[in-house]
Amino acid sequence: MKRAKKKIFRDYILEKGLKSTRQRDVILETFLSSERHMSIEELYLKLRAKHPNIGYATVYRSLKLFAESGIAREMQFGDGQTRYEHVEEGEHHDHLVCTRCGTILEFENETIEQLQTDVAASHDFLIQTHKLELYGLCAKCRK
Amino acid sequence: MKRAKKKIFRDYILEKGLKSTRQRDVILETFLSSERHMSIEELYLKLRAKHPNIGYATVYRSLKLFAESGIAREMQFGDGQTRYEHVEEGEHHDHLVCTRCGTILEFENETIEQLQTDVAASHDFLIQTHKLELYGLCAKCRK
DNA sequence: TGTAAAGTGAAAATCACTTTCAACAAGGGG
DNA sequence: CCCCTTGTTGAAAGTGATTTTCACTTTACA
Ligand SMILES: [Mn+2]
Ligand SMILES: [Mn+2]
Ligand SMILES: [Zn+2]
Ligand SMILES: [Zn+2]
């Protein structure tokens, strides 16, 4: 799926008349082989280990591009840092966020999704995206 | 209910050994008679009309106090600004946010709330708070 | 290759707050 | 009332995350 995402990004770059660069390749490879929900800072630090000359701004710009191309999603969990997660083709999930250790669990619930659609319909509202996050203590932190 | 919230705040102030000030009174009165989901900037501008000498920082500090006392709730809708809404005793709701005109609609759905609890339970997760926001186009903006 | 257009890194700028600090008020004795 | 301790305020400086600027590369393709 790493290969598939790289292709999607390559195609996006072409379609937009942008250029393929060494930096984007390195940042994409590192992003794809990192855990989900990485903050920009975390990715930047990880990158710097092998590529000390990659600029801070370039990481920001690249992640933004990844999101535009559809292979990544930007998200905020209220800790003041933007995080990015890999987007799997045709998949959707929401999150459980531990307020003590920061762990992020994912879940899918078709019934909730359907109810959301119903709520929107009853307000004559057209849903484009939604955000459902449950904050609390994960199993480990509840002790 | 304005009266009730003022009392809650007065009690909170006393309990914490804080002081009642002209600024806090004015800011609270203005906040309570404003629409819900006001950004700090919006409230500050509204205040400045009648009270040009009230400081920016004081508005921030006061809203934070209101939230601590339980009469207001801090929220983020992803537009980069913190908004505050009035908290009604024992009531909870989630939001529909129009991405075109910024209108914010509220809704309550007990079934969704229950399902959230179920999801959390299945992950041995203890919910403290949650955030459910549906982003899209309101009736007016769908045209 | 030649070159127009896009990309990069470092540093400066923004943005939305938060903190600092010296001048001011509250409010509880006396 | 007056004092005095302590919390409060406004202006300005500071923060931290993200963006923009700009002189200097690179890339893509003619
Ligand atoms: Mn996720
Ligand atoms: Mn609301
Ligand atoms: Zn945890
Ligand atoms: Zn609208």
Side-chain angles (χ1 to χ4, degrees):
Chain A
M1 16 90 270
K2 224 149 108 174
R3 199 109 321 239
K5 295 209 182 80
K6 287 186 179 177
K7 171 155 179 29
I8 294 175
F9 185 61
R10 199 178 316 116
D11 291 350
Y12 180 77
I13 285 297
L14 277 177
E15 172 199 328
K16 291 284 179 177
L18 305 179
K19 287 168 180 169
S20 158
T21 70
R22 185 160 30 276
Q23 287 90 332
R24 284 175 181 164
D25 288 348
V26 168
I27 296 172
L28 180 53
E29 171 60 34
T30 306
F31 173 64
L32 292 180
S33 47
S34 298
E35 56 171 321
R36 302 174 76 108
H37 317 120
M38 260 209 148
S39 72
I40 302 175
E41 176 82 15
E42 284 165 359
L43 185 59
Y44 173 65
L45 291 178
K46 181 169 178 182
L47 274 161
R48 257 213 331 206
K50 279 195 181 321
H51 310 275
N53 47 330
I54 274 190
Y56 200 64
T58 301
V59 178
Y60 270 87
R61 291 187 277 228
S62 297
L63 284 171
K64 201 138 286 223
L65 263 188
F66 298 166
E68 282 171 26
S69 78
I71 62 176
R73 183 183 301 127
E74 202 174 311
M75 44 198 14
Q76 309 280 156
F77 289 120
D79 65 343
Q81 297 211 177
T82 298
R83 289 171 185 280
Y84 284 85
E85 73 172 352
H86 315 159
V87 171
E88 302 307 328
E89 193 76 52
E91 182 255 11
H92 167 76
H93 63 259
D94 293 299
H95 300 93
L96 290 157
V97 184
C98 181
T99 53
R100 193 185 311 282
C101 71
T103 293
I104 297 172
L105 302 173
E106 307 181 334
F107 71 87
E108 294 178 64
N109 188 300
E110 247 334 296
T111 314
I112 292 181
E113 303 284 326
Q114 182 54 55
L115 286 167
Q116 288 176 14
T117 305
D118 296 348
V119 165
S122 76
H123 286 270
D124 198 14
F125 188 96
L126 178 66
I127 297 182
Q128 291 168 333
T129 62
H130 72 262
K131 171 181 288 198
L132 171 55
E133 288 149 17
L134 310 182
Y135 294 88
L137 299 176
C138 71
K140 199 169 299 175
C141 292
R142 294 175 74 165
K143 212 186 353 20
Chain B
M1 17 89 265
K2 224 149 109 174
R3 198 105 329 234
K5 295 211 182 79
K6 287 186 179 176
K7 171 153 178 31
I8 293 176
F9 185 62
R10 199 178 316 116
D11 292 349
Y12 180 78
I13 285 296
L14 278 177
E15 172 198 328
K16 291 284 180 178
L18 305 179
K19 287 168 180 171
S20 157
T21 69
R22 183 157 35 276
Q23 287 89 335
R24 283 174 182 165
D25 288 348
V26 168
I27 297 172
L28 180 53
E29 171 59 34
T30 306
F31 173 64
L32 292 180
S33 48
S34 299
E35 54 171 323
R36 303 176 71 109
H37 318 119
M38 264 211 144
S39 72
I40 302 175
E41 176 83 15
E42 285 165 358
L43 185 59
Y44 173 65
L45 292 177
K46 181 168 179 184
L47 274 162
R48 259 214 328 208
K50 280 195 182 317
H51 310 275
N53 47 332
I54 273 190
Y56 198 65
T58 301
V59 179
Y60 269 86
R61 290 186 278 227
S62 297
L63 284 171
K64 202 140 286 229
L65 263 187
F66 298 165
E68 281 170 26
S69 78
I71 62 175
R73 184 184 300 127
E74 204 174 311
M75 46 197 14
Q76 309 282 157
F77 289 120
D79 64 343
Q81 296 211 180
T82 299
R83 288 169 186 281
Y84 284 84
E85 73 172 351
H86 315 159
V87 171
E88 302 306 329
E89 194 76 52
E91 183 253 10
H92 166 76
H93 62 259
D94 293 299
H95 301 92
L96 289 157
V97 184
C98 181
T99 53
R100 193 185 311 281
C101 72
T103 294
I104 296 172
L105 303 173
E106 307 182 333
F107 72 88
E108 292 178 65
N109 188 298
E110 247 335 296
T111 314
I112 292 181
E113 304 283 325
Q114 182 54 53
L115 286 168
Q116 288 176 15
T117 305
D118 296 348
V119 165
S122 77
H123 286 269
D124 198 14
F125 188 96
L126 178 67
I127 297 182
Q128 291 168 334
T129 63
H130 73 262
K131 171 181 286 198
L132 171 55
E133 289 148 17
L134 310 182
Y135 294 89
L137 300 177
C138 71
K140 198 170 303 174
C141 292
R142 292 176 74 164
K143 216 192 346 16

